């Protein structure tokens, strides 16, 4: 006998989505804590768990992109000065983290880290801005049609 399957009404679907979201966030937090403990507390070499770190990083980056594309959060218009300040702070924090992690003390090594961090963050910011713009246009087209 064939039935309608596992039917879910709106309320049940909403509860399942909330549970999935909470479990996703908890899983990502636990994975991040595991990576931090392995690197900074246990002092394990990154080569032993770089696959987990890459999966975690890709997951977080894709999650942020999907959230922007599907319009889950509304991104307000940000003034260029504020955007430049946020970008500058992120570049400085990333450069400091890279310099400390790699034990860089020379100015040339730190400038090398600065160039790499600035380029990566610039590419990420451009990709996220494009995803948010395309997602916003898609939502606008759906509303007007």
């Amino acid at each position: 006998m064939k039935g309608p399957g596992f039917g879910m009404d709106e309320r049940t679907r909403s509860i399942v989505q909330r549970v999935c979201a909470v479990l996703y966030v908890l899983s990502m937090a636990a994975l991040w804590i595991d990576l931090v403990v392995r690197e900074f507390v246990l002092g394990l070499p990154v080569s032993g768990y770089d696959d987990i770190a890459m999966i975690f990083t890709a997951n977080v980056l894709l999650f942020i992109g999907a959230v922007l594309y599907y319009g889950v959060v509304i991104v307000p218009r940000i003034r260029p000065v504020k955007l430049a300040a946020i970008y500058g702070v992120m570049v400085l924090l990333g450069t400091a983290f890279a310099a400390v992690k790699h034990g860089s003390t020379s100015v040339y090594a730190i400038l090398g880290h600065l160039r790499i961090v600035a380029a990566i963050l610039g590419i990420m910011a451009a990709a996220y801005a494009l995803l948010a713009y395309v997602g916003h246009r898609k939502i606008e087209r759906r509303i007007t049609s």
Side-chain angles (χ1 to χ4, degrees), residues 78-140:
I78 301 173
R79 288 186 229 147
V81 173
K82 189 182 278 189
L83 187 62
I86 292 169
Y87 177 76
V89 168
M90 296 303 290
V91 168
L92 289 176
L93 288 173
T95 302
F97 178 78
V100 168
K101 181 176 178 181
H102 297 288
S104 302
T105 55
S106 73
V107 174
Y108 294 111
I110 293 173
L111 286 177
H113 293 309
L114 179 86
R115 282 190 356 217
I116 292 169
V117 169
I120 290 171
L121 286 176
I123 291 168
M124 285 174 52
Y128 286 154
L130 179 65
L131 282 170
Y133 174 75
V134 170
H136 178 72
R137 299 238 332 147
K138 181 185 70 138
I139 291 169
E140 289 291 322

